[in-house]
Amino acid sequence: MKPTNYLPLLLALFVGFSNCKRDDDCPCIDPTNPECPNYDPCYGVEPPSAGFEIRESYNLFILGVRLGPDDNTFWDEVLFSSPYTGAEYKHTWYLGAEVIDQPSFQRGHGSIDVAQRPYQITVSHVLEYPIDSNCYPAASGRDSVARIYTIVRNTGQLATHGWYRGVFENQKDSFDFYFGWHGLNGDPYEPGQQFRNMVSKNFHNEFDSVSRIEFRMINAEIGIYNGPTNNAPRGILELDLNTGLFEMNYDFTEPGVGRKPFRVLGRKLNH
């Protein structure tokens, strides 16, 4: 950004404020407002960055395909995306031996052998952009960022797998519940197994009365999408990976009440 001498403007503002009698008489002092004397078109303007998001795509069938939050731990389908999508930007991604020139792209990781997992991968992004001669004339017009992400071996390595303690909104009594994918031997599910069980315990604080819930798990979310009847719950559990706190919003049919929305807040207990 070009250096600017603001001293004369500040002196003028000081004199103006000292003479104004009402708020309506005083000039505005917002550098983002073109009508203010101290307007700066370069205020807060930074050169474009090669920073990008990595998000997992997962299919909730009746609810559609959903993208999870930016993360570094995944099960399979991953979307890489830059916020700069205009034709004036040039993108170069390096993912293994592959080179990609789009602002965003998606890749599956089903080809990674189970014995190799958890498997770490480096993805690099180079962004070339036009230089703004007014706001950042010293910029190089090029930026690069590399990130490492992990493809897990089994669902037990996802942060969402395990026990939770929560409370219904506007209630006081908490309850514990569980989500997990399991193989035939009871261990967390991993690719290549012929069968999996979607295990939920005490969902909706109903112990074993909710016999089967169909859900998908990624590292920071659980999508509850179906069940054996039309009365099955549908919604999303979102886990904050930094604090361990979660929020779960879903619709469910209660006997004699009908279908209604529910919100449960709480914290993750363990894996």
Side-chain angles (χ1 to χ4, degrees):
M1 183 182 296
K2 285 185 176 179
T4 305
N5 184 1
Y6 288 107
L7 182 58
L9 179 58
L10 291 174
L11 289 174
L13 288 173
F14 175 77
V15 173
F17 280 120
S18 64
N19 293 329
C20 60
K21 298 181 178 59
R22 306 190 315 259
D23 288 343
D24 293 342
D25 298 327
C26 301
C28 61
I29 52 171
D30 182 356
T32 65
N33 187 344
E35 298 182 0
C36 296
N38 68 326
Y39 171 64
D40 179 3
C42 293
Y43 183 83
V45 175
E46 298 288 343
S49 165
F52 57 93
E53 288 189 334
I54 314 179
R55 306 168 68 186
E56 182 151 13
S57 168
Y58 64 112
N59 192 351
L60 296 179
F61 300 99
I62 195 169
L63 298 180
V65 175
R66 179 177 171 89
L67 279 174
D70 183 64
D71 204 347
N72 59 13
T73 303
F74 304 99
W75 177 253
D76 186 19
E77 291 287 337
V78 180
L79 175 72
F80 308 85
S81 61
S82 165
Y84 300 100
T85 59
E88 67 271 30
Y89 300 104
K90 180 182 178 182
H91 300 268
T92 308
W93 304 81
Y94 300 94
L95 181 63
E98 191 177 7
V99 180
I100 304 99
D101 61 2
Q102 302 298 317
S104 64
F105 66 100
Q106 185 166 317
R107 291 294 181 272
H109 296 77
S111 62
I112 300 175
D113 189 80
V114 174
Q116 295 178 285
R117 302 185 183 208
Y119 189 80
Q120 289 192 326
I121 303 171
T122 299
V123 58
S124 301
H125 177 224
V126 178
L127 177 70
E128 297 176 59
Y129 57 89
I131 296 174
D132 186 327
S133 58
N134 291 318
C135 295
Y136 41 87
S140 66
R142 187 180 187 275
D143 191 37
S144 62
V145 170
R147 292 180 59 179
I148 297 174
Y149 65 97
T150 300
I151 301 298
V152 299
R153 176 172 182 141
N154 59 57
T155 54
Q157 294 169 347
L158 299 174
T160 46
H161 181 108
W163 284 94
Y164 297 79
R165 178 165 295 162
V167 60
F168 287 109
E169 188 176 36
N170 300 323
Q171 295 189 17
K172 294 181 179 180
D173 295 333
S174 64
F175 63 98
D176 294 352
F177 62 96
Y178 177 90
F179 280 111
W181 277 17
H182 293 258
L184 286 175
N185 59 1
D187 291 336
Y189 173 75
E190 63 183 36
Q193 294 182 349
Q194 295 183 348
F195 180 82
R196 66 173 178 259
N197 288 319
M198 299 179 183
V199 179
S200 60
K201 301 176 183 178
N202 200 32
F203 178 82
H204 200 64
N205 200 23
E206 289 193 352
F207 302 99
D208 294 329
S209 60
V210 181
S211 59
R212 184 170 177 243
I213 299 173
E214 295 180 2
F215 58 91
R216 296 292 300 272
M217 305 175 65
I218 62 172
N219 195 50
E221 287 187 358
I222 295 176
I224 307 162
Y225 62 86
N226 212 337
T229 69
N230 291 331
N231 296 333
R234 298 188 181 99
I236 302 292
L237 183 151
E238 299 172 282
L239 176 64
D240 188 317
L241 299 176
N242 294 317
T243 65
L245 300 179
F246 77 88
E247 177 177 333
M248 181 168 62
N249 294 280
Y250 61 96
D251 293 331
F252 192 40
T253 300
E254 288 193 329
V257 178
R259 197 165 192 91
K260 57 183 289 189
F262 294 90
R263 184 171 184 240
V264 179
L265 302 172
R267 63 185 175 90
K268 179 76 188 309
L269 294 179
N270 57 34
H271 281 274

